[in-house]
Amino acid sequence: MIRKAIVKDITPVKRITEACARHMIANGIYQWNEHYPDLAVLKKDINQESLYVYEIENEIIGCVMFSFEMDDFYSAIDWLTPNKKQLYVHRLAVHPEQQGKGIARELMDFGEQLAKENNCLSVRLDTFSKNPRNNRFYNARDYKKVGEVFFEQKSPHPFYCYEKVLD
């Protein structure tokens, strides 16, 4: 089941993001670390009702943040659609023990449906250039790479920006 996160979900969500960070680092992918995403970011997501969790039998095993607001760092990107109404995806995470079961696909399906229900032109996101699994995942879902952003506090390598135009 996918539902909006509530305050009591903060601890399991933080455990998932920490497990994902450790898993990525162990595989040479320095996308997340012990500082990101932090509790303040996750609490803000919950307070803004933009964080969703994936739950099976009362256990949270995945999460994602969906927003209709464009972050300033995206303003230099030459997007495929005008900056009018988009859904932005951030902090998609599935506990490493649950990966490979289609949960990320279900979360993205949910997000794309949410975007359609809200008459969005497209879905936009970024992912770390050195995370080949994520890049293959978004390419397979018909997302088009449209540019790069840099988060120098995280990595000297770019994050690729992707967009999927909705029908």
Side-chain angles (χ1 to χ4, degrees):
M1 170 176 81
I2 299 171
R3 63 171 175 79
K4 282 189 179 180
I6 56 175
V7 174
K8 75 176 183 84
D9 297 330
I10 193 76
T11 300
V13 167
K14 182 65 173 145
R15 277 194 217 117
I16 290 166
T17 62
E18 289 172 344
C20 287
R22 286 190 302 273
H23 182 72
M24 286 188 284
I25 290 167
N27 287 288
I29 300 167
Y30 301 96
Q31 180 170 348
W32 287 358
N33 56 39
E34 67 275 9
H35 305 293
Y36 181 85
D38 64 13
L39 280 173
V41 167
L42 298 172
K43 284 179 184 176
K44 181 179 175 188
D45 292 347
I46 290 171
N47 290 336
Q48 292 180 338
E49 297 185 6
S50 59
L51 186 69
Y52 290 77
V53 294
Y54 189 101
E55 186 176 54
I56 298 177
E57 297 176 6
N58 297 317
E59 182 182 358
I60 295 172
I61 58 173
C63 61
V64 64
M65 187 273 231
F66 297 119
S67 173
F68 296 102
E69 303 294 321
M70 183 173 90
D71 291 316
D72 291 339
F73 55 81
Y74 287 144
S75 62
I77 301 299
D78 186 19
W79 296 102
L80 300 173
T81 58
N83 295 332
K84 289 185 180 174
K85 186 132 187 188
Q86 282 77 27
L87 182 76
Y88 294 86
V89 180
H90 299 286
R91 296 179 276 290
L92 174 61
V94 175
H95 194 285
E97 293 174 0
Q98 301 293 330
Q99 291 178 3
K101 298 179 180 179
I103 295 166
R105 179 185 43 77
E106 288 185 53
L107 286 165
M108 288 302 297
D109 289 347
F110 179 88
E112 290 170 13
Q113 185 59 41
L114 180 66
K116 289 175 183 175
E117 290 169 4
N118 283 276
N119 300 310
C120 292
L121 300 173
S122 64
V123 178
R124 296 174 175 176
L125 56 91
D126 67 74
T127 195
F128 190 44
S129 60
K130 300 297 181 185
N131 189 333
R133 185 176 182 186
N134 279 10
N135 285 283
R136 283 192 307 271
F137 175 71
Y138 294 119
N139 281 313
R141 295 186 64 83
D142 294 324
Y143 282 77
K144 306 299 180 214
K145 182 181 165 214
V146 295
E148 300 176 349
V149 290
F150 286 85
F151 302 108
E152 293 181 11
Q153 72 278 18
K154 292 183 189 179
S155 172
H157 302 288
F159 283 67
Y160 293 154
C161 296
Y162 284 95
E163 184 171 22
K164 180 176 184 175
V165 178
L166 300 174
D167 302 325

